[in-house]
Amino acid sequence: MSINTNSVANPGPLGLAGFGMTTILLNLHNAGFFPIEGAIIAMGIFYGGISQVIAGIIEFKRNNTFGATAFTSYGFFWLTLVTIWILPSLGLAKTSSTFLAWYLLIWGVFTFFLFLGTLKSNRVVIFVFGSLVVLFALLALGNFTENNTIIKFAGWIGIICGSSAIYLAMAEVLESVYKRWVLPIGLIK
C-alpha cells in the first residue's frame, strides 16, 4: 500500500520544534543558567524524544530517508540522554564524563555525515546541522577534558542551534499556511 505524500502533513516543523526547544532548554543548563531539572528531563522524553520519533515515522511514510533518519535518531538521542541522566540516580548504572564524551563524539560524527546531506538543502538547514556538529564537538571536548568553560561556551552554541531549528520550524509552518515563504530560509537553486 502506497501513501500519497500530498495527503500527509509535513512533519518537519514538529520535529524541528521538538529538537529546537529541547536543545535550547538543555543548553541554558550547559551555559550555566540552571541545573538539570524536571523540565529538561520532561522535554527530553516527550518533546525532544517522542515528538521527533513521531515526526521521523511520518517522514518514512513520506519516503524522506534523510528526515526519517534525522528525526528518529535525534528523538532517540534525547531518550537515551535522559536515560543516561536517570540511571545513576536509580542505582542501575554509572556515567563518567569520559564515557559521556565518547557518546557525544559518536553523535557528532553521525551529525557530520547528516550535515553533508544538508548541503543541497536551504541555508537554515545547513546552519542547524553545522552548528549541531560544533555543539557535539565542544561538548565531547568539554567532557573529555572536564573543562566547564568549554561546556558553558558549547551551551551558547546550543542555544543558537536550537533557535535556528525553531526559526526553520516556524518558517515551514507559515509557508504551509500562506502557500509562500514568509520567513527567509536561503533557498538554494
Side-chain angles (χ1 to χ4, degrees):
M1 175 173 110
S2 68
I3 190 163
N4 179 357
T5 58
N6 293 328
S7 68
V8 177
N10 177 6
L14 171 64
L16 287 163
F19 169 80
M21 291 170 66
T22 309
T23 298
I24 289 172
L25 197 58
L26 174 59
N27 283 288
L28 286 170
H29 158 72
N30 287 338
F33 292 104
F34 305 102
I36 293 286
E37 292 184 3
I40 298 172
I41 293 169
M43 284 285 279
I45 294 168
F46 295 102
Y47 204 41
I50 294 172
S51 76
Q52 282 195 91
V53 171
I54 291 168
I57 290 168
I58 296 169
E59 290 285 18
F60 275 111
K61 291 184 178 213
R62 291 172 55 99
N63 200 29
N64 179 353
T65 302
F66 183 89
T69 303
F71 287 134
T72 54
S73 294
Y74 292 118
F76 285 117
F77 162 80
W78 285 110
L79 294 171
T80 59
L81 183 62
V82 168
T83 303
I84 288 168
W85 293 336
I86 291 173
L87 288 178
S89 66
L90 298 174
L92 297 174
K94 293 181 181 179
T95 301
S96 68
S97 356
T98 302
F99 190 80
L100 185 58
W102 280 106
Y103 170 83
L104 295 164
L105 182 63
I106 290 167
W107 277 102
V109 170
F110 172 76
T111 302
F112 174 75
F113 283 105
L114 287 179
F115 167 74
L116 295 177
T118 68
L119 298 178
K120 290 184 135 187
S121 190
N122 65 66
R123 285 179 173 73
V124 179
V125 170
I126 294 168
F127 184 84
V128 169
F129 280 85
S131 61
L132 187 56
V133 169
V134 173
L135 174 59
F136 277 127
L138 288 171
L139 289 173
L141 179 62
N143 278 279
F144 273 126
T145 61
E146 296 185 0
N147 185 322
N148 202 42
T149 302
I150 295 172
I151 292 172
K152 282 186 176 186
F153 180 69
W156 287 99
I157 300 299
I159 293 167
I160 292 166
C161 175
S163 298
S164 65
I166 292 171
Y167 175 87
L168 182 56
M170 295 305 99
E172 290 187 12
V173 166
L174 293 175
E175 187 273 337
S176 75
V177 170
Y178 291 100
K179 307 300 182 221
R180 65 180 176 83
W181 288 105
V182 176
L183 298 175
I185 60 167
L187 294 171
I188 297 176
K189 301 190 190 262

